[in-house]
Amino acid sequence: MDLLRHKKTAAGRGFLDDQFLIAMPGMKDDRFTRSVIYVCAHSDEGAMGLIINQTQQMLFPDLLVQLGIMNEQEAIRLPAQARDFVVRNGGPVDRSRGFVLHSGDYRVESSLTVSDDICLTATVDILRAISSGRGPRHALMALGYSGWGAGQLETEIAENGWLTCPANAELLFDTDIERKYDRILASIGIDLAHLSLAAGHA
């Protein structure tokens, strides 16, 4: 997508890059209810991120077979780490396209640097690497992404649609997906019961 290509060539980072977006209780869009999004790219042109706490029905071995990376017999013999790799729902846009967020110990030419130690790769090279045990130390994969046009995300934040906080790599990559929303809120000292649905302005 254009925003990612722009990120690869442009210097500097958007102020929301490497941040968590945490959906407020009053989120109007059901697709993002109780969602946590990791922002991969943000600029004057818009923003792109991946929901990290929604899972897909599709299993990673099935995806590898569907993409022609391996056959069913090979998929059965995958190491446990690859066999149990969860495929997440990254968002409502381009749902057939895969994205892998991962630690910076793995990089290929197509990898985009999001922060000092987190990269995004959207090519099949990384799927082959993960399936053979040569992948990054930490990774999560999502199908689809969440995108916003110029100024749209900033407006949603101002209207109390999202909380933002710096991303934490441990919370980003751990496999406790079901409790991630509550745990990320707790990590910044927020009790869901005390969140106001009305926008407040200092």
Side-chain angles (χ1 to χ4, degrees):
M1 57 177 289
D2 290 342
L3 201 60
L4 291 178
R5 281 196 292 273
H6 175 74
K7 182 177 178 67
K8 185 140 187 165
T9 56
R13 280 162 48 181
F15 71 87
L16 290 172
D17 283 10
D18 192 34
Q19 295 264 326
F20 285 142
L21 296 177
I22 308 159
M24 289 288 280
M27 171 59 65
K28 297 181 180 73
D29 190 330
D30 291 344
R31 297 172 299 180
F32 296 111
T33 300
R34 287 182 59 86
S35 67
V36 178
I37 294 177
Y38 178 79
V39 180
C40 304
H42 173 246
S43 72
D44 293 342
E45 297 173 23
M48 175 268 178
L50 300 174
I51 300 172
I52 62 170
N53 65 330
Q54 293 180 7
T55 59
Q56 294 265 0
Q57 293 298 314
M58 178 176 284
L59 303 174
F60 186 62
D62 297 335
L63 181 66
L64 296 176
V65 172
Q66 188 175 308
L67 292 172
I69 292 172
M70 57 179 56
N71 61 40
E72 289 183 14
Q73 289 304 311
E74 291 169 320
I76 291 169
R77 295 193 296 271
L78 278 171
Q81 187 177 359
R83 197 170 55 243
D84 299 335
F85 193 45
V86 175
V87 180
R88 309 184 198 209
N89 167 34
V93 185
D94 210 355
R95 299 188 71 155
S96 62
R97 186 173 175 191
F99 300 87
V100 180
L101 267 177
H102 56 91
S103 48
D105 54 323
Y106 174 95
R107 292 174 199 260
V108 291
E109 191 179 342
S110 60
S111 298
L112 298 170
T113 301
V114 181
S115 72
D116 293 340
D117 51 6
I118 295 174
C119 297
L120 177 72
T121 302
T123 54
V124 294
D125 309 340
I126 193 167
L127 302 185
R128 291 194 180 98
I130 291 169
S131 66
S132 63
R134 297 178 293 105
R137 191 170 64 258
H138 303 294
L140 70 82
M141 181 186 178
L143 292 177
Y145 68 91
S146 304
W148 293 264
Q152 184 182 357
L153 180 55
E154 292 87 336
T155 299
E156 290 181 12
I157 292 170
E159 292 175 348
N160 218 35
W162 303 97
L163 278 174
T164 66
C165 70
N168 171 307
E170 186 178 336
L171 287 168
L172 175 64
F173 291 119
D174 76 28
T175 54
D176 187 359
I177 297 170
E178 193 171 310
R179 296 193 307 131
K180 204 175 285 280
Y181 180 82
D182 294 320
R183 288 167 58 239
I184 289 174
L185 280 175
S187 76
I188 56 174
I190 292 178
D191 182 343
L192 191 61
H194 298 152
L195 276 183
S196 170
L197 300 185
H201 301 284

